[in-house]
Structure formats: C-alpha cells, structure tokens
Amino acid sequence: MTEDQVRILRDELHYHEHKYYVENQPEISDVEFDMLMKVLEKLEKENPSLITPNSPTQRVGGQMVLGERIRHHGLMLSLENTYTSEELYDFDRRIRKTLPDQEIKYVVELKVDGLGVALNYEDGYLSYGLTRGDGDFGEDVTANVRTIKSIPLKLKQLNYMSVPSILEVRGEVFIPKSQLGKVNELRINAGESPFANTRNAAAGSLRLLDSNIVTQRPLDIFIYRLSYGVDLETHDQGLKMLVDLGFKVNEMANVYSSMEEVIQYYYEWRDQYKNLDYDTDGIVVKVNNINHQELLGVRTKSPRWAICCKFPASQATTRINQIEIQVGRTGVLTPVATLDPVEIAGARIKNATLHNEQEITRKDIRVGDWIVLERSGDVIPKVVSVLAEKRSGWEKVFRFPNTCPSCGEQVQRSEQETAIRCINVECPDQRKRRIEHFVSRNALNIEGLGKQTVKQLIEVGLVSNIADLYHLQKDDLLVLEGFGDQSAENLISAIASSKQKPASRVLFGLGILHVGQSAADLLIDYFVSIGAISVAEVGQIGTIHGIGSRTAESVVDFFAQPDNRELFDQLKLAGLRMRAEAPVDLGQVEGSFLGKTFVLTGTLIGMTRSMASERIKLMGGKVSSNVSKNTDFLVGGENAGNKKNQAIALGIQILTEDTFLEMIDSV
Ligand code: IVH
C-alpha cells in the first residue's frame, strides 16, 4: 500500500538524517539518501493527500509569519555573567549556604554563542519553534527552524518510557565558524553586506522571511535543556534523554562534584575554545539536581542555580562617536576614539587608542563608523577592523589637527617618525602627563596622587612641575576638593617617602623620550648617578650594551635643556636619590679607595670623567682637579698633557684608563 510505503520511507529518511546531521555517522551515501528522498517526493506528488508537515520533504518552503508570538513553557531566562574563578567560588558558597548538608553536583557545559530557541513537539512531532523574544513570549520561527537538519521533525521512541505528548526543549542555533566565509561570499555576491560574526549570521538567518534562503544557510543546533514534558530528577538525566529522543546535544558537558573540578574545566576550555568549529563565549555551570534548582529559585531575569563564566579576550562591535586628540608627556599627539560603551571580558570599554594618523588612514577609520574591538588581558583595547558595510554615508573622515589641542601651538610632523608632536615644553597637557608619569606605579609610585588630583593641583596653581610636589604642605591640600585631614596627611607622607625610591626610578620618572624602565636601569648601572648621566655625551651613552643611539641622543637633548637641568637640581635639593644605592659589599668597596685622592686628566674612552669621579667617590676616594703632593693617583686618558708631566715630576702613580678600570672591577 502506498500509505505504508510512504510511512516506511519517511522513517527511513528521519533515521538517516539523524545519523548524518546529529550523530555525524552516515550509514548511506548522499546519492542513496537523495534517491530515497526523490522516491518519497514522487509518491507524495502523486498522492497529495498523504503529505504531512512532518515529512522530510517538507523542511523547506514553509511560510514565516513574523510577529506571531507564542508563550513559552516557563520563562526563557538568561544567565548571570561572571569572569573569574573567585566568582565561581562565590556562586558555590551561595548554593551551599542555601542548601546546607546537601550533596551538590554541577553540570558544566560550553556556552555556545548563537541564538537561543525553544522547540515544541506534539505527539512526537515538531509543532513550532520560537526565539527567546521577551523571555515570556517568543517569536515564531517555525518555518525556519524546520530547515535545520539536525532538528528532528519526528522524535525517536524511548525504550524506557513513552514520549510525552507535549514536549519543549531549548537550545542554541549557530553557524559553524568554518561556514561563515561561504555564507558571507553568497551575501556579497548578492550585493548584501557580510555578517560580522557567526552569531549575527545565525540570528540574521533565522529571521529571514524566505525559508528557501534559510536552507542555504548552514544552520545547526545544540540542545541544552529538556524544559517541559518530563519530570526529571537531574539535569544530566535530561541531557541523556535528549540524546535518546534524537536531539543534538553538545558532547563537552560533564558532571562534577566540586567547584575545583568545574574551574579546571573552565581553564581547559579557556585555552581550547578557539579550536572548536563553533563560537563559544564561556561555560555554563548548572546545579544538577532539579529539586535543588527549584529550592534555589530564580531572580527576575536569571536563575540562582546556574551561572555563566565567560572566557577572557574577546571582541565586540561598537561605534565611534568621536575622535579626540590626547597630548602625551613627550608631546606626541595620539588620536583616541570615544565609543558607545561596550562590555568586553568584564570591562566596560569607552575609549580605544587609534595610535597615530597613519593607522587611521590605513584602516580607513571614520567618525561614526562601526568597528570590531578587541581586548586581551590588560592590553588597551584595539580596533581590529572597520565594518565598512554598516556605513550610512554620514561618517566623517577624520582630519588630524595642525595645532596642539592643549596649547594651540603648531604641531611638528617629522619625516622619520609616524608621531606628530607638540614641541612646546610649556604645553599644559604635557605638564600634566609628565607629573602623572612621575607619580605612576613603575616610577615614584606615589599613592593617592591620581589623575584627578594632579589636575586639581595644576589648576589651582600649586604645582607646575614634578619638583613642586616636594614643596606641598598639608594645608595646601586641604583646600582641594575631596581632601580631608587624613587624606592630606597620607599624601604628604607618600610624597615624602618617595624620596627613598631608587635613582633608576627617578630617572625613569623624568619621562625622557625612549628611556623606559630597563634603559633607566642600564644607565644607572653604568653611570651610577643621574648627575653623571646628565653630563654624558652621546658617544659614551651609546656604548652601553642595550642602549641605542636614539635613546642616547634623547638623554643628551633632555639634559641640554636649561629647564630640565633646573628640574634635576631641584629634585636633588628636595632630597631624592640621585645615585645608585651602594653595592652590597659596601665596606670592602668603600675601604678600597678610602682616603685616596685621584686626579683625572685627558680623554677617557670607556666613561666620562664625571662618571669616573662618581665611581671613585662611591669607593671612598676623593677627586681633585689639581695635581699636588697629596695626589695618590693620576688617571691619564688619551692626550693627557700638563698634569701628567706634573705627576711624573712628583713621583705620583699614573694609571692608564685600563688599569684604573681593573682596579674598580677588582673590588
Ligand atoms: S542555559 C536558565 N546552557 O545563553 C538557563 N544557555 O544568557 C539559561 N546558551 O539564552 C540557559 N549555551 O541562548 C544554557 N549550554 C547552555 C547554553 C546557553 C548557550 C545561551 C542561551 C541563553 C543564553 C543565556
């Protein structure tokens, strides 16, 4: 009989669809499958009365009725987001507090990043599918979900119970990462803009009005919950039943009895999730026992029995509202984008650096553009790309200013550098940034002196350079907004104790162009004091291994400026450390030159004279400029003239530069 034939063929096709799309283990070839389908299509065509909506031939062609809303079986909730293992421990503590003396088990799953849907089955057949909607009522997307081959149109029989007549399951529709390119290619060929990510692709596809187009989209689904129809004891029992009913359930789910194991799972997937062919953005931790879930209950939008822990380092899309220019401490003008605030990996991002003018041109970044933003670890968020396809035509090309936005002076563009600078040392923003840098954590680390306070101190005229900080009195601070007796006292004492910070930090804190922390260390190691550095020449600085000529030039330029020399003198006067702390075996070193008087003459090659004097003093010796009978050693560099002759005449020991260096090194 045709009717039986049709029924058998349908069951056969349902079975092979499941093998192919859900289990990924086809038993017959595509050609054989297509042949079976053709036979069924032919029979149905000849006997239209036999066609039912649940036939495998009927996946495509259904009419979408957008706007149709149907109530879910129980609210479709979202999840509370967390980002750290501490927050997972907090979650665990809360649960155990509510359920003392209970054995708690957790099911942990991957949080697939697509579009949540609820699927309803009546008497074992798919009846309708909904998006989340407002959580209470969902939008009808039945025609489109029917095209997803991994969604069974007919449920499998269970051998331990009958399939409930009304059943609802929930899951996440997604597009595999490997398929996004193809989807976008089709869209571009059709003159449409490509999707920015797989989530948008899944969501966009599920909302299409023509299910014929939806069929061409490689949509797939993972079902994560049996939400209505069966009284379950545990969530993982539900997951197993979902598999038995023919649903595609993500295989990575696991049951654990401690939060430590859950966190282990989190760390493993945090390092691995990028290798999966579907986008995930975290893990979902669910209390396994359904009775426990009910006791814990729900908040307005999220259950108390489940939580999501997101993976760090993610991207987000947002819009550029404005591009502003910031003036750095070295005068470099940096374009900074002001964004529609967006959350990435737990942080609310409002700004992103655009680095420099070239970068803006290279990426063709315009004001008003939609961009993909990325943040990894502590790094400043960066613009990955511009979503040019989202442009409305109102976006504005950004013109880099010719004058400094802080002081109004003409900016300087140099041939060799990408940076555009304000070279006015009086520039108010530069002053501010220099002070901010000086007090920052890696420099003098003055606590309680944040950007806001620096701004206030400059505005009221109490401070105009870093040396002024050391003249501040408690009473000065009391007039500032936000300062009380205690906070003023704390800041004064923090400023005072910064005088004990090592010279390398002071040098770094001066903010000399190209002198970072490690260059500052190298310079102090070599020259011993900032004083010696301040009189060094480019050639000498350049001989230090690890210091380049650019840095050497910049150091010399810095100390060549009268303002900076004065600043150095003021800091020295204020009592900051200007020389390296003495080596550990101080006694021995000090003793070695103790009471000895040196005269330095001629050109030294390996070090400046001032550097040599620093070393001598450090080792307990004295340096004199004139040769006399009290002179113990004369260090004669190249072209040593008159003084050398005097020393010979007086029988004073003469050291070549090499011997002198050996003496220093031997102690
Ligand atoms: S459980 C009450 N499990 O994430 C439980 N959700 O913000 C709520 N999602 O709308 C959902 N993978 O669309 C759950 N393994 C998973 C999930 C998952 C993805 C989505 C789901 C939901 C959103 C929660």
Side-chain angles (χ1 to χ4, degrees):
M1 242 182 87
T2 327
E3 215 175 318
D4 288 338
Q5 222 182 332
V6 165
R7 189 175 42 79
I8 291 166
L9 263 173
R10 280 182 191 155
D11 282 349
E12 189 84 339
L13 283 161
H14 282 310
Y15 174 84
H16 289 299
E17 272 190 338
H18 179 263
K19 279 282 159 203
Y20 187 92
Y21 293 106
V22 177
E23 292 189 353
N24 216 356
Q25 285 173 333
E27 284 178 2
I28 58 173
S29 70
D30 293 4
V31 178
E32 286 170 297
F33 184 87
D34 289 347
M35 267 170 54
L36 288 175
M37 191 70 101
K38 289 238 162 62
V39 177
L40 178 62
E41 275 169 3
K42 186 165 170 278
L43 285 175
E44 286 180 344
K45 205 169 171 189
E46 288 164 4
N47 306 278
S49 63
L50 294 180
I51 299 176
T52 70
N54 308 309
S55 170
T57 59
Q58 302 300 306
R59 281 198 180 268
V60 199
Q63 202 51 49
M64 272 283 285
V65 263
L66 259 194
E68 186 82 18
R69 282 153 42 94
I70 303 177
R71 195 171 205 145
H72 293 295
H73 288 285
L75 290 180
M76 210 165 157
L77 298 167
S78 40
L79 289 165
E80 185 192 343
N81 283 332
T82 62
Y83 301 89
T84 62
S85 54
E86 283 79 45
E87 289 170 293
L88 285 178
Y89 279 123
D90 286 345
F91 170 71
D92 185 46
R93 267 191 292 276
R94 286 201 300 271
I95 306 266
R96 292 182 195 278
K97 203 172 157 195
T98 315
L99 301 168
D101 309 321
Q102 298 286 321
E103 192 194 346
I104 306 292
K105 289 209 165 140
Y106 294 113
V107 179
V108 195
E109 297 160 16
L110 292 176
K111 184 164 179 288
V112 180
D113 199 10
L115 190 79
V117 293
L119 304 176
N120 283 268
Y121 287 81
E122 273 172 45
D123 299 324
Y125 289 101
L126 178 66
S127 49
Y128 59 92
L130 307 174
T131 61
R132 182 167 173 273
D134 64 5
D136 190 5
F137 286 84
E139 269 181 306
D140 186 346
V141 283
T142 311
N144 288 347
V145 293
R146 289 176 66 85
T147 67
I148 303 174
K149 306 277 194 356
S150 48
I151 293 180
L153 293 177
K154 184 186 179 190
L155 296 178
K156 287 182 18 177
Q157 295 295 321
L158 301 173
N159 48 26
Y160 41 88
M161 63 181 273
S162 55
V163 174
S165 61
I166 303 279
L167 187 87
E168 189 207 57
V169 302
R170 292 179 184 172
E172 196 81 356
V173 172
F174 66 95
I175 276 186
K177 291 199 281 192
S178 55
Q179 303 293 318
L180 183 65
K182 285 179 213 156
V183 172
N184 279 340
E185 211 176 295
L186 287 174
R187 272 177 75 87
I188 292 165
N189 290 343
E192 291 161 333
S193 56
F195 290 116
N197 51 46
T198 58
R199 179 168 18 90
N200 291 1
S205 302
L206 216 54
R207 292 214 167 82
L208 284 169
L209 283 177
D210 184 351
S211 66
N212 288 296
I213 301 177
V214 186
T215 346
Q216 298 162 12
R217 301 279 166 85
L219 290 169
D220 203 340
I221 193 165
F222 283 125
I223 304 295
Y224 55 71
R225 186 156 182 236
L226 208 174
S227 44
Y228 185 84
V230 187
D231 278 333
L232 296 164
E233 275 178 28
T234 61
H235 173 63
D236 84 307
Q237 182 194 3
L239 292 181
K240 289 198 186 89
M241 197 176 286
L242 286 168
V243 174
D244 296 340
L245 287 164
F247 289 105
K248 184 162 170 171
V249 176
N250 188 284
E251 289 171 344
M252 311 309 178
N254 269 328
V255 187
Y256 294 119
S257 33
S258 74
M259 198 36 89
E260 282 74 23
E261 290 167 291
V262 170
I263 288 163
Q264 183 70 25
Y265 178 100
Y266 171 72
Y267 286 143
E268 274 164 24
W269 281 109
R270 186 191 58 183
D271 300 336
Q272 291 293 326
Y273 78 100
K274 291 215 163 114
N275 302 328
L276 295 167
D277 192 26
Y278 42 89
D279 276 312
T280 56
D281 58 352
I283 61 161
V284 187
V285 187
K286 302 173 180 176
V287 170
N288 193 23
N289 187 308
I290 304 289
N291 190 25
H292 288 169
Q293 290 187 358
E294 277 159 11
L295 288 168
L296 287 157
V298 297
R299 305 182 196 88
T300 11
K301 288 226 168 70
S302 60
R304 288 202 181 82
W305 48 264
I307 203 159
C308 156
C309 192
K310 292 226 172 182
F311 298 134
S314 334
Q315 296 187 338
T317 55
T318 188
R319 259 185 69 168
I320 297 181
N321 286 324
Q322 224 180 320
I323 296 179
E324 287 174 351
I325 298 293
Q326 277 183 7
V327 187
R329 71 187 144 85
T330 56
V332 175
L333 268 51
T334 307
V336 175
T338 316
L339 310 167
D340 273 352
V342 65
E343 196 172 297
I344 309 183
R348 216 171 121 85
I349 313 284
K350 288 185 283 190
N351 300 302
T353 173
L354 303 178
H355 301 288
N356 51 51
E357 191 181 30
Q358 268 98 325
E359 184 78 353
I360 296 180
T361 317
R362 192 172 65 81
K363 290 189 173 151
D364 187 19
I365 299 170
R366 305 180 192 174
V367 178
D369 264 343
W370 281 89
I371 51 159
V372 178
L373 199 65
E374 186 175 81
R375 176 176 178 256
S376 41
D378 284 329
V379 185
I380 310 166
K382 67 167 190 190
V383 177
V384 180
S385 59
V386 169
L387 301 171
E389 68 277 6
K390 280 204 167 197
R391 281 186 180 151
S392 64
W394 290 97
E395 294 74 17
K396 285 207 183 69
V397 173
F398 179 72
R399 299 250 172 268
F400 217 92
N402 289 320
T403 53
C404 169
S406 173
C407 67
E409 290 281 314
Q410 198 77 15
V411 297
Q412 204 176 59
R413 290 161 199 263
S414 85
E415 296 282 322
Q416 318 91 311
E417 267 196 330
T418 44
I420 296 175
R421 286 174 197 283
C422 163
I423 49 159
N424 170 18
V425 284
E426 305 278 315
C427 171
D429 273 11
Q430 283 188 53
R431 280 182 188 283
K432 211 185 303 170
R433 297 283 122 72
R434 284 198 291 263
I435 299 172
E436 283 169 8
H437 171 73
F438 185 76
V439 305
S440 68
R441 180 129 43 105
N442 294 329
L444 277 285
N445 191 19
I446 303 180
E447 265 181 52
L449 199 44
K451 285 188 182 178
Q452 201 49 40
T453 310
V454 171
K455 192 166 168 241
Q456 284 191 72
L457 287 169
I458 291 178
E459 274 168 8
V460 299
L462 278 168
V463 167
S464 76
N465 67 27
I466 52 186
D468 294 340
L469 293 173
Y470 294 92
H471 299 137
L472 287 173
Q473 307 282 329
K474 187 176 152 188
D475 288 350
D476 296 334
L477 299 178
L478 288 174
V479 301
L480 300 182
E481 206 185 297
F483 272 91
D485 210 52
Q486 190 61 49
S487 48
E489 203 156 290
N490 290 348
L491 182 51
I492 295 295
S493 92
I495 294 173
S497 57
S498 73
K499 293 179 188 172
Q500 301 309 316
K501 293 275 154 61
S504 58
R505 282 184 176 240
V506 178
L507 179 62
F508 170 64
L510 290 175
I512 304 170
L513 187 61
H514 308 311
V515 179
Q517 280 171 275
S518 61
D521 285 342
L522 288 173
L523 285 164
I524 292 289
D525 278 353
Y526 190 84
F527 287 99
V528 180
S529 76
I530 301 180
I533 297 166
S534 75
V535 293
E537 286 160 19
V538 173
Q540 289 153 346
I541 302 173
T543 59
I544 304 175
H545 187 70
I547 303 262
S549 60
R550 239 173 30 142
T551 310
E553 276 166 28
S554 155
V555 170
V556 172
D557 282 354
F558 181 89
F559 287 108
Q561 293 184 26
D563 279 358
N564 292 335
R565 296 199 75 89
E566 199 184 317
L567 183 70
F568 164 68
D569 289 340
Q570 285 176 11
L571 291 175
K572 198 169 171 181
L573 213 65
L576 276 83
R577 288 190 185 219
M578 291 298 181
R579 57 170 55 234
E581 282 98 307
V584 193
D585 49 352
L586 185 68
Q588 197 195 349
V589 175
E590 263 184 347
S592 56
F593 281 2
L594 203 64
K596 305 284 184 214
T597 302
F598 287 72
V599 171
L600 303 168
T601 183
T603 315
L604 300 179
I605 297 168
M607 60 176 80
T608 58
R609 277 209 225 161
S610 57
M611 191 185 120
S613 354
E614 292 289 344
R615 298 293 288 265
I616 293 165
K617 287 183 211 158
L618 190 75
M619 291 158 83
K622 275 192 288 190
V623 180
S624 156
S625 45
N626 299 313
V627 180
S628 73
K629 60 178 178 3
N630 297 326
T631 308
D632 293 291
F633 300 103
L634 178 122
V635 182
E638 276 183 25
N639 307 322
N642 208 15
K643 287 184 189 168
K644 192 170 171 185
N645 295 335
Q646 288 174 1
I648 294 168
L650 287 168
I652 290 162
Q653 194 174 348
I654 295 170
L655 305 174
T656 61
E657 185 177 344
D658 285 347
T659 345
F660 172 65
L661 287 176
E662 270 171 35
M663 268 172 80
I664 295 175
D665 288 342
S666 65
V667 290

